Amino acid sequence: MPDPGLSPLPAHLPAAAARLGADVLARALAGPAAEAPAPEAAPRWIPGGPSGLGTSSVSFARPAPPPVPDGPPDPAAAPSAAPAAEGRPIPGLYFHPVPDPDPARVDEVSRRIKDWAVDEVQLYPEEWEGQFDGFSVGRYMVACHPDAPTVDHVMLATRLMVAENAVDDCYCEDHGGSPIGLGGRLLMAHTALDPLHTTPEYAPAWAESLGSDAPRRAYRSAMEYFTAAASPSQSDRYRHDMARLHMGYLAEAAWAETDHIPEVWEYLAMRQFNNFRPCPTITDTVGGYELPADLHARPEMQRVIALAGNATTIVNDLYSYTKELSSPGVHLNLPVVLAEREKLSERDAYLKAIEVHNDLMHAFEAAAAEVAAAFPVPTVLRFLKGVATWVDGNHYWHQTNTFRYSLPDFW
């Protein structure tokens, strides 16, 4: 079971202790941030570096070398994981470079997740195998969780990531998804995460429904593994964040049904729910410890987690821009909404979306520094670093996954 960590500090810390927490964090975690150089053609209003309280010297995501895998992968059984590709970072985007994830651990996670997807939950038909391999989820999750003590811990996040994508693809997007009737499908799938408590007469029909399609099978299995390793509080936290995600899916679907292009602020509100938040919020479970519930629930920490989710989601908007433009219909992303609502060219809308991302990143780092100063508790500092590492690992995966993403020709 995860280590419950330390008790929360008193509400009013002495000022000296708060300053000490910030100084220690800055010294321990500082490292050079990177901003992809913007060519001369890029507008000057893209911010050039961190701003706000504490961000001039604090970088949380300086991952230690990853632990050694739990054992050598079986060469005969392991699929060939998609190789890391250089990729090209988006010019002008503010991000922190991370080391390439440990290849032995990537291979082992890739082998295990494919075995789970094929043998345990029958996730996809044979013709989707290339897309599954091209997703490179093993490299993604190892990059995002370098402090996970074992491959089993990385697998907790990996199964959930694959299950979430199965729901998105099969219910909402590429593989038969539709906004019509989405609410009913999502609600039934959510009961695989948050079980139905009903009468003996009707419980068997619900239990049978959990195996009726690939998304529900994946949700049920991934959640069973997760709850076996997580505390009840951590499991309930994840369920709550998944309900947020599903509400975001429904908002986007409602707009699609009415051909509504939201205002920019409305789009950003939707993206605060339809985003990556469930992934970094489990960083302590994957790390083998627990951030106490009362510290996780503090509004200051909730702001940090929300900003992390918002920034990483705009990264997805930017790197998937050309992929989404080539798909049928209007696919909402931040550049598309900016172009429509602020009457910008495609290029200027894309470049302004970079500015929005950078502002969110700076706000995230400033908020994290404030929490670190106010609560210099080991579990708090480790959790903040874990969330920031997830943010950076998410960018790394988007940048290097050239199987899925390419940049527009705007520079």
Side-chain angles (χ1 to χ4, degrees):
M1 289 299 293
D3 180 356
L6 302 181
S7 300
L9 296 180
H12 301 290
L13 288 173
R19 286 195 300 272
L20 176 62
D23 291 343
V24 169
L25 186 71
R27 286 197 299 272
L29 305 178
E35 183 165 344
E40 292 181 3
R44 294 183 179 180
W45 35 258
I46 295 178
S51 61
L53 176 62
T55 57
S56 61
S57 61
V58 175
S59 166
F60 295 98
R62 302 275 67 83
V68 177
D70 300 15
D74 179 358
S80 56
E86 276 292 318
R88 181 165 71 103
I90 293 170
L93 193 78
Y94 175 65
F95 69 96
H96 299 276
V98 299
D100 287 337
D102 175 65
R105 180 164 278 200
V106 169
D107 284 345
E108 178 66 2
V109 172
S110 299
R111 180 187 70 81
R112 291 194 194 184
I113 193 59
K114 194 164 185 179
D115 286 349
W116 174 80
V118 172
D119 298 332
E120 290 192 44
V121 298
Q122 297 80 50
L123 185 66
Y124 58 85
E126 186 176 347
E127 58 267 25
W128 293 4
E129 182 177 9
Q131 295 179 52
F132 185 88
D133 292 342
F135 193 83
S136 301
V137 68
R139 183 158 52 90
Y140 193 178
M141 293 296 95
V142 175
C144 287
H145 297 285
D147 71 333
T150 68
V151 168
D152 285 340
H153 285 82
V154 181
M155 286 299 299
L156 298 175
T158 309
R159 291 187 202 91
L160 290 172
M161 168 64 80
V162 169
E164 290 163 25
N165 275 275
V167 169
D168 190 23
D169 284 347
C170 296
Y171 285 4
C172 308
E173 302 258 359
D174 307 84
H175 297 297
S178 167
I180 300 171
L182 179 60
R185 295 192 298 275
L186 282 179
L187 179 62
M188 294 303 105
H190 194 82
T191 67
L193 307 173
D194 198 350
L196 175 66
H197 300 280
T198 188
T199 64
E201 180 181 0
Y202 298 108
W206 164 73
E208 184 179 357
S209 77
L210 298 182
S212 62
D213 64 12
R216 276 183 269 192
R217 291 193 298 270
Y219 261 5
R220 178 184 60 181
S221 176
M223 195 65 182
E224 286 173 351
Y225 280 102
F226 185 77
T227 55
S231 73
S233 175
Q234 289 172 316
S235 298
D236 199 55
R237 178 205 305 172
Y238 180 76
R239 292 186 189 102
H240 185 70
D241 279 347
M242 288 301 292
R244 284 178 162 127
L245 175 67
H246 293 156
M247 185 162 62
Y249 285 171
L250 291 174
E252 188 172 17
W255 291 339
E257 285 194 280
T258 58
D259 295 321
H260 174 65
I261 303 296
E263 299 289 346
V264 176
W265 71 266
E266 290 178 314
Y267 177 79
L268 293 172
M270 181 273 290
R271 275 311 229 172
Q272 181 161 311
F273 293 85
N274 179 2
N275 78 7
F276 286 112
R277 180 189 176 113
C279 303
T281 200
I282 64 171
T283 186
D284 54 338
T285 308
V286 181
Y289 67 100
E290 181 173 6
L291 176 69
D294 49 354
L295 287 175
H296 176 268
R298 290 193 65 88
E300 306 96 314
M301 184 65 79
Q302 289 295 299
R303 174 171 167 77
V304 169
I305 297 168
L307 286 166
N310 293 348
T312 54
T313 302
I314 301 306
V315 163
N316 180 262
D317 277 13
L318 292 166
Y319 277 99
S320 64
Y321 176 73
T322 58
K323 177 176 178 282
E324 291 175 351
L325 283 183
S326 65
S327 62
V330 176
H331 195 113
L332 290 184
N333 56 51
L334 184 55
V336 166
V337 174
L338 283 165
E340 175 67 24
R341 288 300 185 178
E342 299 191 359
K343 307 305 178 189
L344 300 173
S345 68
E346 289 185 357
R347 175 183 180 276
D348 286 347
Y350 189 90
L351 296 177
K352 187 166 184 183
I354 296 173
E355 177 190 6
V356 173
H357 165 270
N358 291 353
D359 286 347
L360 289 168
M361 277 290 290
H362 301 154
F364 159 67
E365 294 187 347
E370 290 170 1
V371 172
F375 299 94
V377 180
T379 48
V380 169
L381 302 187
R382 184 175 179 187
F383 185 81
L384 291 171
K385 183 175 182 181
V387 171
T389 300
W390 201 97
V391 169
D392 290 353
N394 176 73
H395 173 267
Y396 166 88
W397 176 80
H398 279 86
Q399 175 195 325
T400 59
N401 196 331
T402 54
F403 176 87
R404 288 174 63 86
Y405 305 122
S406 60
L407 300 186
D409 187 18
F410 289 153
W411 297 276

